[in-house]
Amino acid sequence: MNAPAVVPNRMDTDAARDDPDDRLPAGTRIGRAALRVADLDETTAFYRDVVGLVLLDRDDDRATLGVDGTALLVLEHAADRPERSRTDAGLFHTAFRVPSRAALGEALARVRDRWRLDGASDHLVSEALYLDDPEGNGVEIYCDRPREEWPVDDDGTVRMATEPLDVQGVAGAAGGKSAGLVDDAPLGTDVGHVHLEVTSLSAFEAVYVDGLGFEVGMTGPNVRFVAAGGYHHHLGANTWRGRTTPAAGRGIAWFEVVVPDAAGLEALRERLDAVAAAGDVAFEIDEREAGIAVTDVDGIEVRVRTP
């Protein structure tokens, strides 16, 4: 599932959003993502054999996959849930970040041998492969370029684009056909970002920017990218397909935002309380022992915790 081209026009932000003390701390990252699926066996096999994750735990209702013992993806068996409708908000893609161009080439070889590649793009800051899992959930596998090579505009915003990928160069980085297939994604693979399909970008901003504390970065027609610590984006949100109803069927169940310390979590809690008190956007906050769970206006749950 390849993303439409990104055009560098910015949205206006208020002074509160420019306050560095009211933003998420550097070191914030995405943790696990979770999907509700109808066929647990087939979907587990896809993420194991194509994406290259290792099965860490499995029972009749759930499979957990990851890298080097670290969980990255949880698959929840939900055959009783309806298939996601054409109007439902939800997942655009889960983006698995690999640590090198060689690892991206290894992923490309697995996709070509065991699945089908739907798209491939050079985003200036990264190189990316796009595909869908067996249930239609979007998947991106990407590798960042070195941070010092990211193009930056005069206002400090990291600039991205969507250009054709040098597929031959990526394949060659892994040694080409003579190297053979590498089954597992390497140490250092993580969930680099999650991209959502939402019903309202202003409502998305209210929860994820004003409440959670992400900074707005690159924007384009009907899309927002937000991040912490100067990253190009930890979250994306778009309205390209005109989704109009909250997520209700299969697809994304929840994802995690991991803040580096308790102080960051407490500041986030205070921001959420302030947004909730203003009453402009309706969302739910659930205090938990391990952190906070927020269900946004599109029915998507984000769980915030410390490491």
Side-chain angles (χ1 to χ4, degrees):
M1 183 184 295
N2 205 353
V6 175
V7 179
N9 64 309
R10 312 277 186 271
M11 74 170 207
D12 292 331
T13 57
D14 56 29
R17 291 182 178 181
D18 293 332
D19 182 359
D21 294 330
D22 202 32
R23 301 293 90 202
L24 283 166
T28 298
R29 59 180 174 84
I30 301 298
R32 298 172 296 171
L35 303 174
R36 299 186 184 97
V37 302
D39 192 325
L40 189 57
D41 291 336
E42 183 182 28
T43 312
T44 298
F46 166 85
Y47 285 99
R48 181 193 64 211
D49 299 338
V50 180
V51 178
L53 305 182
V54 174
L55 183 62
L56 302 177
D57 188 50
R58 170 68 197 266
D59 59 28
D60 291 340
D61 298 318
R62 177 178 300 208
T64 302
L65 300 100
V67 171
D68 194 40
T70 298
L72 302 180
L73 181 69
V74 178
L75 301 176
E76 301 177 353
H77 188 218
D80 57 334
R81 282 204 174 228
E83 185 177 356
R84 181 184 175 189
S85 79
R86 292 180 180 271
T87 63
D88 281 357
L91 184 69
F92 190 61
H93 58 238
T94 307
F96 297 94
R97 178 175 56 182
V98 296
S100 67
R101 201 180 197 214
L104 188 64
E106 293 165 357
L108 175 61
R110 286 194 300 273
V111 174
R112 283 174 157 174
D113 185 70
R114 298 169 179 174
W115 201 248
R116 56 190 176 272
L117 184 66
D118 294 333
S121 296
D122 184 332
H123 294 304
L124 305 183
V125 297
S126 62
E127 296 179 296
L129 311 174
Y130 294 93
L131 55 157
D132 282 354
D133 75 11
E135 305 211 352
N137 298 298
V139 176
E140 177 182 343
I141 305 173
Y142 76 106
C143 174
D144 279 334
R145 287 195 167 91
R147 195 157 179 158
E148 60 270 18
E149 296 179 9
W150 295 357
V152 178
D153 288 336
D154 292 340
D155 63 358
T157 302
V158 176
R159 177 161 43 88
M160 296 182 286
T162 299
E163 299 179 351
L165 180 69
D166 177 8
V167 176
Q168 184 174 351
V170 169
K177 294 181 179 179
S178 61
L181 283 175
V182 176
D183 287 329
D184 296 338
L187 178 68
T189 299
D190 62 4
V191 179
H193 65 269
V194 174
H195 193 147
L196 305 173
E197 293 186 298
V198 301
T199 59
S200 164
L201 290 175
S202 61
F204 169 83
E205 293 160 11
V207 175
Y208 293 93
V209 178
D210 300 334
L212 269 65
F214 283 106
E215 300 171 29
V216 178
M218 192 78 179
T219 71
N222 303 312
V223 66
R224 298 286 183 269
F225 296 116
V226 303
Y231 192 56
H232 52 76
H233 67 300
H234 288 107
L235 292 177
N238 75 71
T239 56
W240 291 322
R241 293 176 176 169
R243 305 287 186 171
T244 57
T245 56
R250 297 191 293 268
I252 191 165
W254 48 267
F255 67 94
E256 291 179 322
V257 172
V258 182
V259 295
D261 52 40
L265 184 63
E266 181 57 32
L268 182 150
R269 180 184 284 107
E270 292 175 0
R271 284 192 299 271
L272 284 170
D273 287 343
V275 173
D280 295 331
V281 175
F283 59 93
E284 297 179 5
I285 304 173
D286 181 9
E287 296 280 353
R288 299 185 178 185
E289 184 176 351
I292 306 168
V294 178
T295 301
D296 70 17
V297 295
D298 290 315
I300 298 167
E301 181 180 318
V302 52
R303 300 178 179 181
V304 188
R305 63 174 176 86
T306 53

